[in-house]
Amino acid sequence: MTNIALIGAGNLGWHLGKSLHVAGARISQIFSRNLGKTSELATALNAVTTDDLRKISPDADLYLIAVHDSAIEEVADRLPVEIRRKKLIAHTSGATPMQVFSEKNIRRYGVFYPLQTFSRQRETDMRQVPFCLDANNEADFLLLKNLALTLSPKVHRLDDRQRAQLHVAAVFANNFSNHLFAIAQELLQKENMPFDLLLPLIRETVAKLEDGDPDEMQTGPARRKDTATIARHLQLLENQAEVRAIYEILTKHLINGKW
Amino acid sequence: MTNIALIGAGNLGWHLGKSLHVAGARISQIFSRNLGKTSELATALNAVTTDDLRKISPDADLYLIAVHDSAIEEVADRLPVEIRRKKLIAHTSGATPMQVFSEKNIRRYGVFYPLQTFSRQRETDMRQVPFCLDANNEADFLLLKNLALTLSPKVHRLDDRQRAQLHVAAVFANNFSNHLFAIAQELLQKENMPFDLLLPLIRETVAKLEDGDPDEMQTGPARRKDTATIARHLQLLENQAEVRAIYEILTKHLINGKW
């Protein structure tokens, strides 16, 4: 049974902690700056808690850092020396290179990055989540791999460069597409229409990705080079300079084809 | 039983014709410029076919125009005078105002617009499709409404202005989001990663829309104003000026918040 110290109990820490516990790992200790918010998770996992990094026990097999990207370096730097010298420390970030650990003179380090968007209110089916792993030695990679396999069959070894590229791709596929949905909602509200109208279309757009590449599935006035419809759309957006600029750049990129 | 002449047998005509037939309407005649491609549909629907608009029979209750937006006016203009004077003519386009009919001295006209993306290879569950209807008189609106209700419970009356706004919103929600998926795929391919990696994330992005508005659900470095991650992403995209420009405009719009 892998003994894990979970460092950070936000959305990601909460989901990972619960899932690893259910899958048979032991979450022995949880670090959080907000112990009040952590008590429910700690009780469910039968874990002790601390808000002091210096009090993290050196007995765990894995120190899993699930804090905001901007805090990873500082947290790694403040872990007790015994842990930094002897224990496996992994972060859960898509955007952060492993070098943050080597630069801090940590000996054994890795990445345990679940490629998914997590929110406290929603259950996440971990078996559908791709786990993107890496480590600076084979034994530790195997430990992370076997741990990930208890959660999901989708386990990939990606190096820093691949993981960084995957992270920027995920920003396009998730953050930016969601923002386009928000723009669409705003456009509908201006004419007193509910966003629900678009949900079947959005669902089908995503369902089609099962059948082929998104570029093959592309439809719409830009792909058809339907300049009359594009001109009408730009006229409708004439009082919304920013939304119009987004329409123009995406239409231009679509018309120009492969880049 | 509504007697329908179907004008146009592309993706949309094919799906609408089949669904209306199954739902109990009679598709008596199909116009298509390509009779070879239409024979299978005509046989399935027990309909006669023609490639000559002048030969369309005046016996139908509804003339349903499912041709490309750019051809609607011309088709309406060439229909036999008897039909143009006495019969209900409706198009199926989100982007086309009803005036195309009044300008052509057609007396009874309407819109029968299914808000969905159709492709020949995929079955479409019509019960999930919102039908956006309009007509220039109440009796004809009722005919279209009752016909749409045989296909889907989601029936809306939208005027030209609303339908045009809905169409541009749909371009953001469907065409542009799909293009972002294509950009994400291209980014992954550059580092030898399969697009499948992103599918669970994309599915969850859409599933979250059931729980709340997209703007409330927004995550990512731009929403967090995480300038360090944004800077790293822009550096990764430094050799792809167009993709980088799309990243920048969407990030800026997200950071500036409500518009």
Side-chain angles (χ1 to χ4, degrees), chain B residues 81-99:
Chain B
V81 169
E82 191 179 351
I83 293 170
R84 294 157 41 81
R85 281 203 195 135
K86 295 185 179 169
K87 295 294 184 158
L88 172 58
I89 302 174
H91 71 62
T92 53
S93 161
T96 308
M98 282 208 297
Q99 279 89 310

Side-chain angles (χ1 to χ4, degrees), chain A residues 92-112:
Chain A
T92 54
S93 160
T96 308
M98 284 208 294
Q99 279 90 313
V100 294
F101 294 130
S102 55
E103 285 167 4
K104 300 293 176 188
N105 293 317
I106 287 165
R107 304 263 172 88
R108 296 169 51 202
Y109 51 83
V111 176
F112 193 83

Side-chain angles (χ1 to χ4, degrees), chain A residues 68-69 95-97 115-119 122-124 128-130 132 154 156 158 161-211 213-215 217-222 224 226 229 232-233 236-237 240 242-243 245-247 249-251 253-254 256 258-259, chain B residues 68-69 95-97 115-119 122-124 128-130 132 154 156 158 161-211 213-215 217-222 224 226 229 232-233 236-237 240 242-243 245-247 249-251 253-254 256 258-259:
Chain A
H68 282 174
D69 290 4
T96 308
L115 177 61
Q116 188 51 283
T117 171
F118 296 93
S119 49
R122 288 181 61 83
E123 285 289 318
T124 301
Q128 301 298 324
V129 176
C132 306
K154 301 178 178 182
H156 303 264
L158 301 182
R161 188 171 170 80
Q162 287 177 309
R163 203 172 60 258
Q165 187 86 347
L166 174 60
H167 192 256
V168 68
V171 166
F172 279 89
N174 164 16
N175 304 152
F176 289 165
S177 65
N178 186 73
H179 186 50
L180 296 183
F181 302 150
I183 290 173
Q185 178 175 40
E186 185 86 5
L187 290 169
L188 292 185
Q189 281 172 345
K190 281 180 192 293
E191 295 290 338
N192 303 309
M193 292 178 283
F195 182 61
D196 286 3
L197 265 178
L198 287 174
L199 283 179
L201 178 65
I202 291 171
R203 285 194 205 104
E204 179 69 7
T205 305
V206 170
K208 274 181 162 181
L209 297 176
E210 313 286 338
D211 291 357
D213 290 346
D215 192 58
M217 296 291 147
Q218 187 67 51
T219 58
R224 291 195 305 271
D226 176 353
T229 300
R232 267 201 299 266
H233 285 169
L236 275 173
L237 300 173
Q240 292 161 270
E242 292 183 11
V243 171
I246 292 169
Y247 186 101
I249 196 172
L250 288 169
T251 294
H253 198 246
L254 263 164
N256 290 343
K258 283 291 185 188
W259 51 94
Chain B
H68 281 173
D69 290 3
T96 308
L115 177 60
Q116 188 51 283
T117 171
F118 295 93
S119 49
R122 286 180 64 81
E123 285 291 318
T124 300
Q128 300 300 322
V129 176
C132 306
K154 301 178 178 181
H156 305 264
L158 301 182
R161 188 170 170 79
Q162 288 178 308
R163 205 172 57 258
Q165 188 86 347
L166 175 60
H167 192 256
V168 68
V171 166
F172 279 90
N174 165 15
N175 305 152
F176 289 166
S177 65
N178 186 73
H179 186 50
L180 296 183
F181 301 151
I183 290 173
Q185 179 176 40
E186 185 85 5
L187 290 169
L188 292 186
Q189 281 172 345
K190 282 180 192 292
E191 295 290 338
N192 303 310
M193 292 178 282
F195 183 62
D196 286 1
L197 264 178
L198 287 174
L199 283 178
L201 179 64
I202 291 171
R203 284 194 207 105
E204 179 69 8
T205 305
V206 170
K208 273 180 162 182
L209 297 175
E210 314 286 338
D211 290 356
D213 290 345
D215 193 59
M217 295 291 147
Q218 187 67 51
T219 58
R224 291 194 305 273
D226 176 353
T229 299
R232 266 201 298 264
H233 285 169
L236 275 174
L237 300 173
Q240 292 161 271
E242 291 182 11
V243 172
I246 292 169
Y247 185 101
I249 196 171
L250 289 169
T251 294
H253 198 246
L254 264 165
N256 290 343
K258 283 291 183 187
W259 51 96

Side-chain angles (χ1 to χ4, degrees), chain B residues 32-80:
Chain B
S32 168
R33 282 176 302 187
N34 190 330
L35 291 183
K37 280 191 181 168
T38 312
S39 61
E40 189 190 329
L41 180 67
T43 304
L45 271 46
N46 196 21
V48 299
T49 59
T50 179
D51 59 0
D52 184 348
L53 286 167
R54 293 168 301 182
K55 290 188 181 157
I56 291 181
S57 154
D59 296 340
D61 305 309
L62 169 64
Y63 295 79
L64 196 57
I65 302 181
V67 300
H68 281 173
D69 290 3
S70 56
I72 293 171
E73 276 194 66
E74 192 189 331
V75 163
D77 210 24
R78 291 194 183 178
L79 286 172

